[in-house]
Amino acid sequence: MDIEEFREFGKASVDYIASYFENIRKIDVISKVEPGYLKNELPETVPLRGESWHKVLEDVDKVILPGLTHWHSPHFHAFFPTANSFPGVVGELLLSGLGSLSKDWETNPACIELEIRMMDWLGKMLGLPEEFLNESDGPGGGVIQNAASEATFLGLLCGKQRTIASQSEDQVSSKLVAYTSKESNSSVEKAGLLASVPMRLLPTDQNGSLRGRTLQAAIKKDKEAGLVPCCVVATLGTTGTCAFDNLEEIGTVCHEEGVWLHVDAAYAGAVFACPEYRHLMKGVQFADSFNFNPHKWMLVNSDCSAMWFKDTRNAEAALRVKTNLPNPSVFEPDIQHWQIPDSRRFRALKIWFVLRIYGVEGVQKHIRRQIALARFFQQLVEVDDRFEVCASSMGLVCFRVKGEDVFTRVLLDGVSKRGKIFLTPYFYREQLVVRFVICSRFTERGDILFAWREIVRVLEEQVFPCKIVVSKKRRRIRNNGTNILKVLDPSFTNIHQGINENVKVELFL
Ligand SMILES: Cc1ncc(COP(=O)(O)O)c(C=O)c1O
């Protein structure tokens, strides 16, 4: 491909993306393809002769698009948002096009210096304590990592290293133990596995929040058993219900016990750009490391995970190895030692694009708007007495169909099969709930009404497919000509026995 063809291919691809977003509302969010669909669409081996880019782009439309789940559809309400914005897309295109990596400053001054400045911009925008910033006089600082999972792992490695260094006893590694709540993301448990440190999953209070006294009791018990606590991972915005651990209580315990405190604010960290939510990170001054994902709720395309250390010397102690570079970098800080990969992509470029083009006000508007849409959805659920809201926080509402879990299960299955909206299940307080999250930046009130109508339609057609007429005279079940419901208990408790049948029944009492 020569440079002229590259121009044409690139422009056609940008046009393709623009049309995709223009039409995204019209496409079903969940793909209808069957497992293995792609096998028959593609040749088994590499084509012998190179093909034209026109043909390749055509095949994206023909073969790839039908198998896509549309994560930026306004009807995508699963998981958490995965960030996307036009400045973010162009930033990603440019950083890929320039293709410039970095290790230390000498290998790419712009990449290192822009990253350091962007991390300070972000830290100030969230209202983090100054000691975390690169520009502070102390040893604090921030860098971009690939993912929150990786940041948690690094936080744990730092806690592990600091604890080992502080102990005179040999063999301390085998006695280390770490803590998080049972509501934390699975990546926290995985970090424990990777670091070979048992991760205790502690119970939360009735709001899904880990409290100081629970942590204190667990630490006491482990210390009495001869174990050595080294790290606590607190979550601000849990994956299931977006609950906030009590950072002030947990931080006080960590401070007293000398245990590393890592804060995982992967999704909800972005909300601190709005000062009215900063009370939820009260106690952040106790954190040793803090992480949030601009690639979730802050409009910067994946991957982009922001991580700060209060004392970066801990990261260096845990991660720095003797490199084969002959001279130390002339530039400080040397952020290559605060990460796992050897080199880094120029991800700061896309943060710069997003923050300059949106500004603080644009980011705040985006976040407040999504929270308002979630509250609008919550109101729709609350006024329908067939449903109950189980938890709600930020852009997330957890709700369920009243009664046994099977109703909610059938609702979720029915919605998923129709593919018009994408919802995910969660088990909360031993009950099945539906997570409804405002994810796409294209979502509007009309899309919320669309989702609500879809939910009600599935409820009425598949969960409670019965028309009930009550008469005092006699009791009769009338078959409307389709299938017969096997057992119909007037109290409704057994209605699920016929739930998958297309049944219309009138019940006379
Ligand atoms: C609270 C929390 N932590 C960590 C993660 C993992 O994020 P990542 O995919 O960036 O590793 C998630 C993902 O949703 C999350 O919600």
Side-chain angles (χ1 to χ4, degrees), residues 400-409 492-496:
R400 64 191 301 279
V401 185
K402 283 181 186 165
E404 293 174 39
D405 275 354
V406 67
F407 301 139
T408 304
R409 166 58 56 206
F492 256 58
T493 49
N494 287 325
I495 200 165
H496 62 273

Side-chain angles (χ1 to χ4, degrees), residues 432-450:
L432 182 64
V433 301
V434 184
R435 291 174 76 260
F436 183 95
V437 189
I438 310 298
C439 290
S440 165
R441 73 196 151 87
F442 300 114
T443 303
E444 295 170 359
R445 277 170 82 96
D447 301 303
I448 302 296
L449 289 169
F450 174 88

Side-chain angles (χ1 to χ4, degrees), residues 79-81 146-152 183-188 235-240 264-268 291 293 295-296 302 304-305 435:
F79 313 111
F80 272 141
N146 293 320
S149 311
E150 197 174 299
T152 302
E183 292 292 327
S184 67
N185 187 263
S186 58
S187 56
V188 182
T235 311
L236 298 182
T238 58
T239 312
D264 172 5
Y267 161 69
N291 166 246
N293 281 347
H295 75 214
K296 277 193 162 49
S302 190
C304 185
S305 187
R435 291 174 76 260

Side-chain angles (χ1 to χ4, degrees), residues 194-401:
L194 291 171
S196 301
V197 177
M199 182 66 70
R200 303 263 189 264
L201 304 180
L202 304 178
T204 61
D205 69 10
Q206 71 283 4
N207 299 317
S209 168
L210 178 62
R211 306 299 299 266
R213 59 179 175 277
T214 310
L215 175 65
Q216 183 74 76
I219 288 180
K220 183 168 179 281
K221 194 170 161 215
D222 280 336
K223 280 171 86 173
E224 281 167 5
L227 297 176
V228 182
C230 71
C231 181
V232 174
V233 179
T235 311
L236 298 182
T238 58
T239 312
T241 63
C242 198
F244 288 70
D245 287 344
N246 190 317
L247 203 54
E248 196 166 35
E249 291 177 6
I250 293 171
T252 307
V253 175
C254 289
H255 183 66
E256 283 166 9
E257 297 284 348
V259 173
W260 186 279
L261 175 59
H262 175 77
V263 177
D264 172 5
Y267 161 69
V271 87
F272 303 128
C274 305
E276 66 272 27
Y277 293 104
R278 289 198 189 143
H279 64 278
L280 292 166
M281 65 165 171
K282 206 165 164 222
V284 68
Q285 72 278 7
F286 292 116
D288 292 290
S289 48
F290 183 99
N291 166 246
F292 96 105
N293 281 347
H295 75 214
K296 277 193 162 49
W297 206 10
M298 209 187 262
L299 302 158
V300 183
N301 288 50
S302 190
D303 55 332
C304 185
S305 187
M307 181 180 193
W308 290 267
F309 300 92
K310 193 186 276 168
D311 186 343
T312 55
R313 289 171 301 189
N314 291 298
E316 297 206 8
L319 301 168
R320 189 171 192 148
V321 287
K322 279 189 205 138
T323 66
N324 53 5
L325 296 172
N327 301 313
S329 175
V330 295
F331 185 80
E332 287 292 331
D334 194 1
I335 62 176
Q336 65 175 328
H337 304 298
W338 309 348
Q339 64 173 35
I340 294 174
D342 188 38
S343 54
R344 57 181 49 243
R345 300 202 310 138
F346 198 174
R347 289 173 295 212
L349 202 61
K350 54 188 173 180
I351 300 185
W352 192 43
F353 278 28
V354 169
L355 294 185
R356 284 188 66 185
I357 292 170
Y358 276 84
V360 176
E361 284 177 2
V363 171
Q364 290 173 335
K365 193 170 158 204
H366 163 69
I367 284 167
R368 289 178 182 138
R369 195 177 150 272
Q370 294 219 320
I371 293 174
L373 286 172
R375 297 295 79 74
F376 175 52
F377 178 78
Q378 182 176 348
Q379 283 162 13
L380 296 173
V381 182
E382 278 169 351
V383 296
D384 189 322
D385 64 9
R386 293 169 293 184
F387 295 95
E388 58 191 337
V389 171
C390 309
S392 101
S393 167
M394 305 302 150
L396 166 69
V397 180
C398 292
F399 70 100
R400 64 191 301 279
V401 185

